[in-house]
């Protein structure tokens, strides 16, 4: 059995109050005089109330396309103003009830919050004007009672319009924030595309060069190298397909499909990195399994390892021993990621494949944005080291 939410109860109560107020208007009008020569006493008021109730209560999912917020707010206001004008022309008194007042206030709220910017002013003015002239129906003397009612109406108009304007501004800010977040997210996804594809394509280049050398000296051992090239190409295409799919999508499932890595993905990254003559060793810290690290820290650690391995292929292809270390310092609650190699800077990659030199710059921005530190430079003896320190942020 489904429970009724508090919001549903409030909405039902508001609809009931609005309908009851409309009934009160019709009952008051049945005792008054007709304002139109050919109409019964109650029909003009009933028509205005029904038009207003339809405009306010018509279900959103069943509204026809022509029933825009402008039509919903302008037509009932014009009908109310015409009834007021008719009562003045024939000098017939029409009782002022709470239904029409409540309806016009609701329509004013809809106009200010939901109408397009250029139409909101016009429709809001129509609703406010129709409300403010209600007290003069059948009374052109502008007595103190009429002026008092108009002042009260002016206060109600100001309160409703101000509240609707505030909610409209909040909606606008929320839309801008969502747009900015989506834009920054897609820029980050575009950076991910560069990281993944550059990593895989660099591996393809290195393994292709190895295959060319082995074609004349060790043709019988070519199959593992060619399999590595095929795997790297497949992974590059898969990364491109996932990333482009995310960039084209705007649904809520985008975040789940974003191709970012984690600590578990580092092992897979290393497995597909080594080429003949290279040894890649991963040293994991058992303390890392004692608690889950924030996802953004894991993704940044993955990027550090990925960029370091890609740079080894680009600038130190002669490295024979590479070590990747993941260490968690329980005293300082920090994750330390380091990648070291014994290369001497030998590479046979084309100049166009060396990159623009901005990989470490972008990586440092990513690490420092998480409150971490990134250092990269030559080791004491031979080789290069990339070291990143992250605050785990665990309670």
């Amino acid at each position: 059995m489904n429970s009724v939410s508090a919001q549903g109860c409030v909405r039902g109560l508001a609809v009931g109050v609005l309908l009851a107020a409309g009934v009160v208007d019709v009952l008051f009008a049945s005792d008054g005089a007709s304002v139109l020569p050919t109409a019964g006493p109650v029909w003009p008021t009933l028509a205005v109330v029904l038009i207003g109730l339809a405009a306010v209560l018509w279900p959103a999912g069943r509204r026809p396309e022509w029933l825009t917020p402008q039509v919903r707010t302008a037509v009932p206001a014009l009908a109310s103003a015409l009834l007021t004008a008719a009562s003045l022309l024939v000098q017939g008194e029409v009782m002022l009830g709470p239904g029409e007042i409540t309806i016009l206030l609701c329509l004013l709220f809809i106009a200010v919050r939901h109408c397009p910017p250029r139409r909101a002013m016009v429709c809001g003015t129509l609703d406010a004007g129709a409300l403010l002239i209600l007290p003069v129906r059948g009374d052109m003397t502008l007595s103190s009672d009429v002026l008092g009612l108009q002042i009260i109406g002016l206060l109600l108009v100001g309160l409703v319009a101000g509240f609707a304007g505030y909610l409209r501004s909040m909606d606008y800010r929320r839309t801008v924030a969502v747009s900015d977040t989506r834009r920054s997210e897609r820029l980050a996804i575009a950076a991910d595309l560069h990281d993944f594809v550059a990593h895989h394509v660099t591996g393809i280049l290195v393994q292709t060069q190895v295959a060319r050398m082995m074609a004349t000296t060790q043709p019988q051992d070519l199959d593992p190298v060619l399999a590595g090239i095929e795997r790297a190409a497949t992974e590059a295409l898969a990364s491109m397909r996932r990333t482009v799919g995310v960039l084209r999508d705007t649904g809520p499932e985008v975040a789940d499909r974003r191709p970012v890595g984690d600590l578990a993905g580092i092992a897979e990254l290393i497995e597909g990195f080594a080429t003949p003559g290279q040894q890649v060793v991963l040293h994991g810290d058992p303390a890392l399994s004692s608690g889950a690290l924030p996802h953004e820290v894991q993704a940044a650690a993955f990027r550090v390892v990925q960029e370091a391995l890609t740079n080894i292929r680009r600038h130190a292809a002669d490295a024979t021993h590479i070590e990747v270390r993941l260490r968690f310092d329980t005293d300082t609650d920090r994750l330390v990621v380091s990648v070291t190699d014994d290369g001497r800077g030998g590479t046979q990659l084309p100049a166009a494949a060396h990159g623009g030199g901005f990989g470490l710059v972008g990586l440092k921005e990513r690490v420092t944005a998480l409150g971490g530190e990134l250092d990269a430079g030559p080791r004491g003896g031979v080789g290069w080291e990339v070291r990143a320190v992250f605050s785990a942020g665990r309670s």
Side-chain angles (χ1 to χ4, degrees):
M1 184 175 183
N2 296 330
S3 60
V4 180
S5 65
Q7 184 178 4
C9 292
V10 172
R11 183 180 293 117
L13 179 62
V15 171
V17 170
L18 189 60
L19 292 175
V23 171
V24 171
D25 276 17
V26 175
L27 292 178
F28 281 175
S30 62
D31 296 331
S34 174
V35 299
L36 296 177
T38 58
V42 72
W43 297 116
T45 300
L46 178 62
V48 172
V49 170
L50 289 179
I51 293 174
L53 289 175
V56 174
L57 301 179
W58 200 310
R62 299 182 180 180
R63 291 175 194 150
E65 294 183 0
W66 57 266
L67 192 58
T68 61
Q70 302 90 283
V71 174
R72 292 174 61 201
T73 55
V75 172
L78 291 175
S80 176
L82 288 176
L83 180 58
T84 301
S87 68
L88 294 175
L89 291 175
V90 300
Q91 296 183 356
E93 183 178 357
V94 177
M95 297 296 295
L96 181 61
E100 196 171 349
I101 296 174
T102 307
I103 290 172
L104 290 174
L105 288 174
C106 292
L107 295 176
L108 175 63
F109 179 88
I110 296 173
V112 175
R113 187 176 184 187
H114 297 295
C115 284
R118 294 185 178 180
R119 305 291 178 85
M121 182 65 71
V122 176
C123 295
T125 301
L126 285 175
D127 293 317
L131 177 65
L132 293 177
I133 63 175
L134 283 179
V136 302
R137 285 184 178 177
D139 184 0
M140 300 180 61
T141 61
L142 296 181
S143 62
S144 59
D145 293 339
V146 171
L147 292 176
L149 291 175
Q150 287 181 329
I151 292 175
I152 295 175
L154 190 60
L155 291 176
L156 292 175
V157 167
L159 289 174
V160 172
F163 181 60
Y166 169 75
L167 293 180
R168 187 184 183 110
S169 67
M170 295 296 293
D171 293 339
Y172 175 76
R173 292 178 183 176
R174 188 180 299 110
T175 301
V176 171
V178 170
S179 178
D180 290 344
T181 302
R182 182 175 296 168
R183 180 176 179 273
S184 61
E185 184 73 6
R186 293 186 177 219
L187 289 175
I189 292 173
D192 290 344
L193 176 62
H194 170 271
D195 292 342
F196 274 95
V197 175
H199 176 80
H200 293 310
V201 172
T202 303
I204 292 172
L205 282 174
V206 172
Q207 295 183 79
T208 301
Q209 291 178 337
V210 174
R212 291 182 63 183
M213 291 187 295
M214 295 178 62
T216 56
T217 59
Q218 298 172 289
Q220 69 278 6
D221 298 329
L222 270 178
D223 186 67
V225 179
L226 295 177
I229 294 175
E230 181 183 8
R231 182 175 61 253
T234 302
E235 292 176 354
L237 288 174
S239 296
M240 292 178 61
R241 187 178 301 111
R242 286 194 302 268
T243 307
V244 172
V246 172
L247 290 173
R248 289 178 175 177
D249 203 346
T250 58
E253 68 279 3
V254 172
D256 297 333
R257 293 169 48 189
R258 182 181 174 183
V260 297
D262 52 17
L263 294 183
I266 293 178
E268 300 177 2
L269 186 68
I270 291 175
E271 289 177 2
F273 175 80
T275 59
Q278 282 184 335
Q279 181 186 17
V280 186
V281 181
L282 173 62
H283 299 280
D285 190 343
L288 287 175
S289 60
S290 61
L293 293 172
H295 180 72
E296 60 271 14
V297 172
Q298 297 189 48
F302 180 90
R303 289 290 179 267
V304 169
V305 176
Q306 184 183 58
E307 182 65 25
L309 294 179
T310 302
N311 285 337
I312 291 173
R313 280 177 171 166
R314 287 174 173 170
H315 308 293
D318 59 339
T320 59
H321 185 75
I322 303 166
E323 290 188 357
V324 179
R325 295 181 180 273
L326 303 175
R327 182 173 62 86
F328 181 71
D329 190 341
T330 55
D331 295 333
T332 60
D333 198 33
R334 286 176 174 267
L335 172 68
V336 181
V337 182
S338 64
V339 181
T340 58
D341 66 83
D342 60 355
R344 298 178 180 271
T347 179
Q348 298 177 356
L349 291 181
H354 287 178
F358 297 105
L360 287 177
V361 175
L363 191 62
K364 188 168 186 177
E365 292 181 358
R366 184 191 292 264
V367 173
T368 54
L370 295 174
E373 301 175 359
L374 178 71
D375 296 309
R379 300 170 64 189
V382 180
W384 191 271
E385 179 181 13
V386 176
R387 183 175 183 272
V389 180
F390 299 94
S391 175
R394 302 189 303 181
S395 55

